[in-house]
Amino acid sequence: MYSFDGTFKSAPQVSLGNYQSATAKDIVRASRQARETREKSRSAEKAIVKLQSWARSFICRARLRKHRRSIIAVKLKNENREDECQMIYLIQFVFDPQIDTPLWVAFSRQLVTMKQSLLPTLKTRSPQGWTFFIRSIFEICKKHIAYCSERNEVMTASLRMLEFLSQNTNALSANSAEKLFSIGFFTTLLVSLKSKLPVAIIDDSEACKRTEMYKFMLQIFKAVLSENPTQSHTRETRLLRELFLSENDAEYALLLTSDVAVMMNKTNLVSSFEVMLKSDVDLTSTQICVLLNLLLSAIMGASGSNSDVIKSGQLALDSIGVEKLCFALAFLTQKYADLVTCKADEKLRLMDLDSDSEDDEQTHEQSMFSATEEHLVHLISSYLESQLFVSFISSLADLMSPSSLSSSKPMTSERSTVHFCSFVYNLNRLNSKSRAFFALPSKKGLMKQIWRTLSNIQGQSLSGQKIPMLSLLKSGHLSLGDSHTCLPLLASFCRFFSLLLITLDDKELFDGLSFPFSKQETLSVIVHLKDCALGLIEIIHPETKFTAHKGLTENIKRCSNVLKLLCQLLKQLHERDQRIEFSQNESFWISSKCAIPKAPSDMTICEALRRGVDLEHILSSTYASLDNKSGMATMNKNIPMPLNAMHDLDQSNMLSVVSMRDRRLLVVLTCLPFFISFPERIKLFRKIISLDKLEVHERRLPMGAGPGDISINIRRTHVYEDAFEYLSPQNEPDLRKRIRVTWRNVTGLDEAGIDGGGITRDFLQELIKAAFDPKFGFFTATPQGAFYPFPQVTQLMEASMAKQHFYFIGRMVGKVLYENLLVELPLASFFLAKILSGQVDINYLASMDEELHQNLLSLKAYSGNVEDLTLTFSRTQSVLGEVQDVELIPGGKEIVVDHSNKLFYIHTAADFWLNRQIKTQYTNFVSGLTDLISLNWLRMFNATEFQTLISGASISIDISDMRQNTVYAGSANEEPLSDSHPYVESFWEVVSSWDDKHKSDLLKFVTSCSRPPLLGFKEIFPPIAIHSAGPSEDRLPTASVCMNVLKLPVFPNKDILEEKLKMAVDSKSGFELS
């Protein structure tokens, strides 16, 4: 084939003898070398010309400077000259601080001396020359001051010159100010300030402010800002940048903050902050603190009165101004909150790393902030906790609210509401107990405006369509950008709503005066909040895999914080609904999206709950997986781990293998358990206990004592005393073992019967009945017959002994729950709620004392002079016939209740009755209860459900369910007993015709418990059995409660059957009939 490189035909060879011809490459190389040589020659010539030119110009300038210096020296001797512009031009041209300082000192001295006659003439004769004159002086002063600052030399001449100019306000025009910014004049002043301060700024700022240098600087700033104040927006922005965003030490900015805040126009200051913060400046931690301190100082510290800048009129804002102010506050508080959180996390991390080192105590004491930053943080904290700040944020909230509740048009834009809520959200991150929050829930218009904004504001879906952000949040597909808008709105709404519910009693809800929503509106809000909670849980624990990055991690943590606030609000609303039943629908709170998986998948959830997993554990595990990044694939596996393998894992490692789907359900069960139906939660509770028993108990026979059982002999006449002795923590430290009871009757003989569970049930019934009997003095009863700890129990016995008894009683209640038993124990609602939450408020006082509750509410609504009631922060109580005065707060006897403190008195009194007076009893009771039952297990239920868990539901016994789960033994009329046997049918017909009381008595006669099982009679083990006792007319039916067996003789007819059965049931003879 031919080649296509152009050499398919060789060139003819020509011989030229001894001549050697050069190749093309050699020719090109030689040409390049010659060209490079010529270029180097030309460059050398140019360089020589430049050097000669520079040398000549240097020599010429040196000669010219020397000549002009001589001219200046001659002119300085003439004090009557009028060519000051030419003089300043000459000095500016030649000025070298190292050489010409004496000339400058002499000239400035003469200029200051001639100021009365020179300046008016100069300004009138040549305006342009006057501008040049001012600029030139500033530039010379800058050079001189910088030179003197570096060498710590005297700069009096320049300072005197600048002071002379600054005293005449008209001397600094807008053009002059622009020149100062362009030459970096203010930065030079700040640098020079350092060498002139007598002490450290933070140690004694007042001493620094008394120096002449500082006073002079303020005069310059004032002169710059005073020219056309309404048009000084640009100058203020540039001044703020140079003073507070430059590379200078933050100490100078801290020193200038208060004075600069006073000088600046507040409205222009807000605009300046917006311009600075929107310019994408990468702020350092110090600059964040400096700017926030300046803004807060301008808002509060510089108002000069007891009212904030909005009320005093110093800050006149239209809707755009409000938006700018809210933006600045939101931006800076977010950066500041991020900074504080980051520093705190870093400190904790270092403490963990150094926990094993010898010098860890010194490490713990080190601050993560510099000294200046520490001082700024202290100032910011004091501002945020001041009463003036509370007044300011209240005034700002008024601007955010519609003019009336019925109005749909707010005074400000939706963006202002978003920025305001971001500001509030950041405050909540800094201090969730800030006093500022308690001034906002009463703003009903604000809450409506926030909810309206949250409902209307639009976001972008995955397909690019604009839909409400609330819908995006519910679906769990909220983008990172939209989360910055939506989450602060939701968090602020939840925070305000939650605080409002705390201040309102049940009767004030939906009264149309104190509450911003109607009943129907509230139900609608709850429906949305429920879906939002599930959406947040889905965002935090997504099903799909993803790559973790910083923005995603921060967004998930932000969602977690909002979820906590949302869960708190939903719990409060659900708690209110349990008391006043405003939803009027049992299934209103249940979510169809929260389904418990079937076995064996549910065992993973039960094991996690058994370990005491709560929301913080789940979120911490999620954060760790995000930080690890590689752990996300493991978390998304929905394959349950074998239960025996989970037993070998600790809590943190166990959560790492829990699937995302199960994590979501764990969050719901720990934070929002009422989203799941009560029967489903009971099943989980039973399975949790079964898992605990599986781990603790050894395999043993169904009948008879196993290797680890507790066998006790109890006298029927001394049930509590014997149980307290045998089952004390010293004798039986682990009550999770099975108890085997032998009864001893009044004659001192052991009763017959093998304890297959029924005798233990009977024993626990009698024990609980005795322990809660008010005659023992441990508990007292409300007028409705519900029990709660006796407040004055320590007056009856030693405190140490009382603690032991309450611990023991709590332990016994825990044993009842642990063994899936029901006892007739009505507890006061407030005490049940207190066990679950640890603290209850005035709304529960009615369950203790209805009259006292009404009296306190009457005082709250009292419109007269409260002082006429002669109330003090103390109460009188009778203890064993002795009248005692108890102070509600220290020094309460001397504090009179008036209109200003009556709300505090009401809540303090309620807190005393419900919490403080039974604190010791409650603490020890709960300690005993949690020895067997974790509070995390019980918190799946509310107070009403907890009572049902203890005593069962107060419902009629379902005879058909009981019949379906009954077995039969023996025969009647020579036929084996079965459900279809005529005699059995007669028995069920008799029982079905009884009233509820006799049905309960029959159930107790057979099983020792009068309440039906919570999940139906299929729960009873062993199942209820009817055993034929043979034909008889004289014998009564008997029961083997230990095995749930009814021994039923075969009576001739139905009437005798009913008569004998009622007689046996009414006798309540227990096991003696067996």
Side-chain angles (χ1 to χ4, degrees):
M1 291 179 65
Y2 292 106
S3 64
F4 293 93
D5 56 0
T7 60
F8 64 93
K9 183 177 181 180
S10 60
Q13 300 292 328
V14 179
S15 176
L16 299 178
N18 293 328
Y19 177 77
Q20 297 180 354
S21 61
T23 64
K25 292 182 179 179
D26 294 334
I27 296 173
V28 171
R29 186 184 305 109
S31 299
R32 183 171 63 249
Q33 291 176 351
R35 184 169 60 254
E36 290 176 352
T37 301
R38 290 193 300 272
E39 288 178 356
K40 288 181 180 179
S41 177
R42 284 195 296 269
S43 298
E45 290 177 359
K46 289 180 181 180
I48 291 172
V49 171
K50 286 182 179 180
L51 287 174
Q52 290 175 346
S53 175
W54 180 86
R56 286 193 299 269
S57 64
F58 177 80
I59 294 172
C60 291
R61 285 197 305 271
R63 291 174 181 172
L64 184 58
R65 286 193 179 95
K66 184 177 180 180
H67 173 68
R68 290 186 175 180
R69 286 190 179 101
S70 63
I71 295 176
I72 292 171
V74 172
K75 287 180 175 292
L76 286 176
K77 295 179 180 179
N78 181 14
E79 297 181 355
N80 296 321
R81 65 183 183 276
E82 297 181 358
D83 54 349
E84 299 303 324
C85 285
Q86 183 182 5
M87 280 288 293
I88 197 66
Y89 168 76
L90 293 174
I91 294 177
Q92 182 183 11
F93 179 82
V94 305
F95 188 73
D96 181 353
Q98 191 172 0
I99 301 173
D100 301 315
T101 295
L103 293 177
W104 173 244
V105 171
F107 175 75
S108 61
R109 185 182 299 114
Q110 289 186 6
L111 195 61
V112 172
T113 304
M114 300 166 57
K115 64 180 180 180
Q116 297 296 336
S117 58
L118 174 65
L119 291 182
T121 303
L122 188 60
K123 292 175 67 176
T124 304
R125 185 177 60 188
S126 176
Q128 294 180 350
W130 168 250
T131 301
F132 170 77
F133 178 76
I134 295 297
R135 290 184 180 181
S136 300
I137 287 181
F138 281 142
E139 193 158 354
I140 295 173
C141 289
K142 174 183 177 295
K143 292 180 181 180
H144 184 240
I145 290 173
Y147 173 81
C148 295
S149 298
E150 292 176 1
R151 292 160 179 78
N152 198 20
E153 295 183 2
V154 178
M155 59 183 79
T156 307
S158 294
L159 294 180
R160 185 177 298 171
M161 178 65 72
L162 292 173
E163 181 180 9
F164 150 65
L165 293 177
S166 64
Q167 287 175 350
N168 186 355
T169 304
N170 296 328
L172 291 177
S173 63
N175 293 331
S176 301
E178 185 68 24
K179 179 63 177 179
L180 295 181
F181 290 119
S182 65
I183 65 176
F185 177 76
F186 297 105
T187 302
T188 304
L189 281 184
L190 288 176
V191 173
S192 64
L193 181 63
K194 184 176 182 180
S195 61
K196 298 300 179 181
L197 294 181
V199 294
I201 294 175
I202 296 179
D203 295 337
D204 192 355
S205 60
E206 293 302 322
C208 299
K209 292 183 177 183
R210 288 193 294 268
T211 59
E212 293 299 325
M213 181 67 179
Y214 182 81
K215 294 178 181 179
F216 162 71
M217 288 181 63
L218 291 184
Q219 290 178 358
I220 293 290
F221 298 152
K222 186 175 182 179
V224 170
L225 297 174
S226 61
E227 185 70 19
N228 293 327
T230 58
Q231 302 177 3
S232 62
H233 165 66
T234 303
R235 274 177 286 158
E236 289 186 352
T237 304
R238 297 194 63 174
L239 183 61
L240 289 177
R241 285 183 184 277
E242 195 153 342
L243 293 181
F244 300 101
L245 294 181
S246 63
E247 298 297 328
N248 301 296
D249 293 341
E251 294 181 355
Y252 308 135
L254 177 61
L255 184 64
L256 293 167
T257 296
S258 59
D259 293 311
V260 172
V262 172
M263 291 180 189
M264 287 189 168
N265 178 279
K266 302 299 181 297
T267 306
N268 288 347
L269 180 66
V270 171
S271 300
S272 300
F273 263 93
E274 185 203 26
V275 172
M276 284 194 303
L277 299 178
K278 284 187 175 180
S279 59
D280 297 328
V281 178
D282 188 12
L283 299 176
T284 64
S285 60
T286 304
Q287 289 172 339
I288 293 170
C289 296
V290 166
L291 289 178
L292 181 57
N293 180 57
L294 173 62
L295 183 57
L296 293 176
S297 178
I299 290 173
M300 289 165 291
S303 65
S305 64
N306 294 327
S307 60
D308 59 88
V309 290
I310 296 178
K311 290 183 178 179
S312 63
Q314 297 185 47
L315 184 59
L317 297 176
D318 54 9
S319 60
I320 297 177
V322 172
E323 182 176 341
K324 291 179 179 180
L325 176 60
C326 291
F327 166 77
L329 289 170
F331 183 93
L332 288 175
T333 51
Q334 178 186 345
K335 295 289 185 182
Y336 180 71
D338 292 341
L339 172 65
V340 173
T341 303
C342 180
K343 296 287 187 181
D345 293 342
E346 182 68 14
K347 185 175 182 179
L348 290 176
R349 188 184 67 83
L350 293 178
M351 290 174 64
D352 293 338
L353 292 176
D354 298 337
S355 59
D356 298 329
S357 62
E358 296 180 358
D359 56 346
D360 57 337
E361 293 183 0
Q362 296 180 358
T363 305
H364 295 173
E365 295 177 358
Q366 293 178 356
S367 173
M368 300 302 296
F369 292 99
S370 65
T372 304
E373 290 174 344
E374 280 283 355
H375 188 62
L376 285 168
V377 168
H378 175 73
L379 288 176
I380 292 171
S381 300
S382 62
Y383 278 136
L384 296 180
E385 291 304 313
S386 67
Q387 182 59 41
L388 203 57
F389 178 74
V390 175
S391 175
F392 162 75
I393 198 173
S394 179
S395 300
L396 188 59
D398 290 334
L399 296 178
M400 310 301 302
S401 306
S403 56
S404 66
L405 287 180
S406 60
S407 173
S408 60
K409 294 183 179 181
M411 298 172 63
T412 55
S413 64
E414 288 185 346
R415 299 306 308 172
S416 299
T417 306
V418 172
H419 294 322
F420 177 79
C421 290
S422 298
F423 170 48
V424 173
Y425 172 71
N426 296 328
L427 290 180
N428 188 73
R429 291 175 59 195
L430 292 169
N431 182 10
S432 60
K433 297 181 180 179
S434 173
R435 292 193 302 164
F437 294 125
F438 296 94
L440 299 179
S442 59
K443 312 286 184 181
K444 296 184 292 183
L446 174 64
M447 290 187 61
K448 281 222 166 188
Q449 171 63 13
I450 294 175
W451 182 251
R452 186 181 294 114
T453 303
L454 184 59
S455 303
N456 295 337
I457 198 165
Q458 301 283 312
Q460 191 169 9
S461 64
L462 296 177
S463 61
Q465 295 179 342
K466 290 289 185 179
I467 60 176
M469 284 190 189
L470 209 57
S471 300
L472 292 173
L473 179 58
K474 294 176 186 178
S475 65
H477 297 98
L478 193 66
S479 65
L480 291 177
D482 290 340
S483 67
H484 288 283
T485 300
C486 182
L487 295 183
L489 284 168
L490 181 59
S492 300
F493 179 79
C494 293
R495 182 69 172 137
F496 296 157
F497 206 157
S498 180
L499 290 174
L500 179 63
L501 289 175
I502 293 175
T503 60
L504 298 180
D505 58 68
D506 292 341
K507 292 185 177 181
E508 290 176 311
L509 215 61
F510 312 124
D511 63 354
L513 299 176
S514 306
F515 198 65
F517 301 106
S518 66
K519 183 181 295 187
Q520 292 302 321
E521 288 175 335
T522 303
L523 293 176
S524 175
V525 168
I526 292 174
V527 171
H528 288 298
L529 293 180
K530 285 170 54 183
D531 293 336
C532 288
L534 296 177
L536 284 172
I537 294 173
E538 186 174 346
I539 292 174
I540 299 170
H541 304 100
E543 288 281 359
T544 57
K545 298 180 182 180
F546 55 83
T547 302
H549 54 83
K550 183 178 179 181
L552 176 65
T553 304
E554 292 177 352
N555 186 56
I556 287 183
K557 291 183 177 180
R558 191 183 305 112
C559 289
S560 302
N561 293 331
V562 177
L563 178 62
K564 293 175 185 177
L565 295 172
L566 180 53
C567 290
Q568 180 185 358
L569 173 59
L570 287 172
K571 284 180 180 178
Q572 288 178 280
L573 289 168
H574 179 259
E575 189 177 316
R576 288 293 179 106
D577 189 28
Q578 293 300 304
R579 292 200 300 268
I580 63 177
E581 299 180 353
F582 59 82
S583 67
Q584 298 179 349
N585 188 350
E586 294 182 358
S587 61
F588 174 77
W589 292 94
I590 299 174
S591 174
S592 59
K593 300 178 183 179
C594 304
I596 303 294
K598 297 182 179 179
S601 299
D602 61 339
M603 301 309 288
T604 302
I605 298 173
C606 293
E607 178 62 18
L609 292 172
R610 190 185 74 84
R611 299 283 192 93
V613 170
D614 57 16
L615 180 62
E616 293 300 331
H617 291 128
I618 301 171
L619 296 179
S620 298
S621 177
T622 302
Y623 299 157
S625 302
L626 287 171
D627 294 337
N628 189 25
K629 294 185 181 181
S630 61
M632 298 307 296
T634 305
M635 292 165 56
N636 281 283
K637 293 179 180 179
N638 286 322
I639 303 174
M641 190 176 187
L643 192 61
N644 55 357
M646 293 186 68
H647 286 166
D648 299 330
L649 300 176
D650 59 21
Q651 192 174 79
S652 58
N653 291 328
M654 180 194 66
L655 281 173
S656 65
V657 299
V658 175
S659 68
M660 282 295 192
R661 179 189 60 196
D662 290 345
R663 285 193 186 206
R664 293 181 187 178
L665 198 54
L666 281 173
V667 173
V668 172
L669 286 168
T670 54
C671 298
L672 303 166
F674 42 85
F675 280 17
I676 301 172
S677 65
F678 181 48
E680 291 294 325
R681 282 178 278 137
I682 292 178
K683 292 177 183 178
L684 282 178
F685 182 73
R686 301 287 187 235
K687 290 178 181 179
I688 292 170
I689 294 178
S690 298
L691 288 176
D692 197 64
K693 289 181 178 179
L694 183 65
E695 183 178 353
V696 174
H697 292 183
E698 299 178 359
R699 183 181 295 274
R700 52 177 61 86
L701 297 173
M703 294 288 295
D709 288 347
I710 303 171
S711 298
I712 55 176
N713 192 293
I714 303 296
R715 295 173 294 174
R716 281 196 177 273
T717 55
H718 298 78
V719 177
Y720 183 84
E721 293 83 350
D722 291 349
F724 182 74
E725 179 182 354
Y726 293 134
L727 300 179
S728 64
Q730 294 77 17
N731 294 329
E732 294 297 341
D734 188 4
L735 265 188
R736 290 178 292 180
K737 300 176 183 179
R738 186 177 300 173
I739 298 177
R740 301 293 184 182
V741 179
T742 302
W743 281 116
R744 191 183 306 168
N745 60 23
V746 293
T747 63
L749 299 176
D750 291 346
E751 296 182 3
I754 299 175
D755 190 1
I759 299 179
T760 301
R761 286 199 301 271
D762 186 56
F763 158 71
L764 290 174
Q765 287 269 11
E766 295 300 322
L767 174 59
I768 293 298
K769 181 179 179 181
F772 284 83
D773 191 339
K775 295 179 181 178
F776 272 85
F778 302 126
F779 286 81
T780 186
T782 66
Q784 293 76 28
F787 298 110
Y788 66 94
F790 183 51
Q792 286 82 40
V793 67
T794 54
Q795 305 292 331
L796 303 176
M797 62 182 69
E798 294 181 0
S800 59
M801 200 65 189
K803 290 180 180 180
Q804 295 180 27
H805 281 285
F806 277 99
Y807 181 86
F808 170 76
I809 296 172
R811 215 168 174 227
M812 291 302 102
V813 174
K815 182 63 174 176
V816 168
L817 294 171
Y818 195 79
E819 297 297 340
N820 190 17
L821 303 178
L822 299 178
V823 293
E824 297 181 12
L825 177 61
L827 294 176
S829 297
F830 85 89
F831 186 56
L832 290 166
K834 186 172 175 63
I835 292 173
L836 298 176
S837 62
Q839 195 83 1
V840 288
D841 58 22
I842 188 174
N843 293 299
Y844 282 97
L845 187 58
S847 64
M848 172 190 278
D849 191 329
E850 177 66 27
E851 183 180 357
L852 176 62
H853 181 238
Q854 290 297 330
N855 290 339
L856 290 179
L857 293 184
S858 299
L859 175 61
K860 182 178 181 180
Y862 186 67
S863 58
N865 188 359
V866 180
E867 296 183 29
D868 295 340
L869 303 178
T870 64
L871 296 174
T872 62
F873 279 79
S874 63
R875 61 175 296 271
T876 302
Q877 63 180 9
S878 177
V879 180
L880 301 178
E882 180 183 354
V883 178
Q884 297 180 353
D885 288 332
V886 180
E887 292 185 335
L888 301 180
I889 59 175
K893 293 181 181 179
E894 308 300 327
I895 302 177
V896 178
V897 179
D898 54 26
H899 182 74
S900 63
N901 61 15
K902 70 175 182 179
L903 285 179
F904 179 61
Y905 169 79
I906 291 170
H907 286 280
T908 303
D911 180 66
F912 174 82
W913 284 96
L914 297 172
N915 299 302
R916 288 166 50 195
Q917 70 170 350
I918 61 169
K919 180 180 179 180
T920 303
Q921 298 90 313
Y922 155 78
T923 302
N924 290 282
F925 179 89
V926 171
S927 297
L929 176 66
T930 54
D931 186 52
L932 286 91
I933 302 292
S934 171
L935 282 181
N936 289 328
W937 307 350
L938 295 177
R939 285 175 180 145
M940 290 192 296
F941 309 98
N942 58 43
T944 304
E945 294 167 342
F946 185 23
Q947 179 66 69
T948 304
L949 203 64
I950 295 173
S951 302
S954 301
I955 58 176
S956 300
I957 296 175
D958 188 351
I959 298 299
S960 61
D961 181 41
M962 183 177 178
R963 182 175 182 175
Q964 290 175 5
N965 293 279
T966 299
V967 297
Y968 306 93
S971 62
N973 301 325
E974 299 181 356
E975 292 183 15
L977 288 183
S978 66
D979 188 61
S980 59
H981 193 286
Y983 188 69
V984 172
E985 289 185 352
S986 298
F987 169 80
W988 289 116
E989 289 176 3
V990 168
V991 173
S992 298
S993 65
W994 286 359
D995 57 21
D996 290 341
K997 181 182 182 303
H998 278 92
K999 290 177 183 178
S1000 298
D1001 291 342
L1002 173 63
L1003 185 61
K1004 185 172 184 179
F1005 181 77
V1006 178
T1007 65
S1008 78
C1009 181
S1010 63
R1011 297 284 181 89
L1014 295 176
L1015 299 179
F1017 283 92
K1018 64 180 180 294
E1019 264 198 322
I1020 293 184
F1021 183 83
I1024 294 175
I1026 297 178
H1027 185 275
S1028 174
S1032 174
E1033 292 187 19
D1034 301 327
R1035 293 175 55 195
L1036 293 175
T1038 60
S1040 294
V1041 182
C1042 56
M1043 299 299 295
N1044 300 328
V1045 176
L1046 174 63
K1047 298 177 181 179
L1048 186 65
V1050 180
F1051 298 107
N1053 55 59
K1054 184 177 177 180
D1055 293 337
I1056 296 177
L1057 169 62
E1058 182 173 7
E1059 178 186 354
K1060 296 294 184 180
L1061 189 58
K1062 274 190 176 182
M1063 189 180 301
V1065 169
D1066 292 340
S1067 67
K1068 300 179 181 179
S1069 299
F1071 297 95
E1072 292 301 312
L1073 291 179
S1074 298

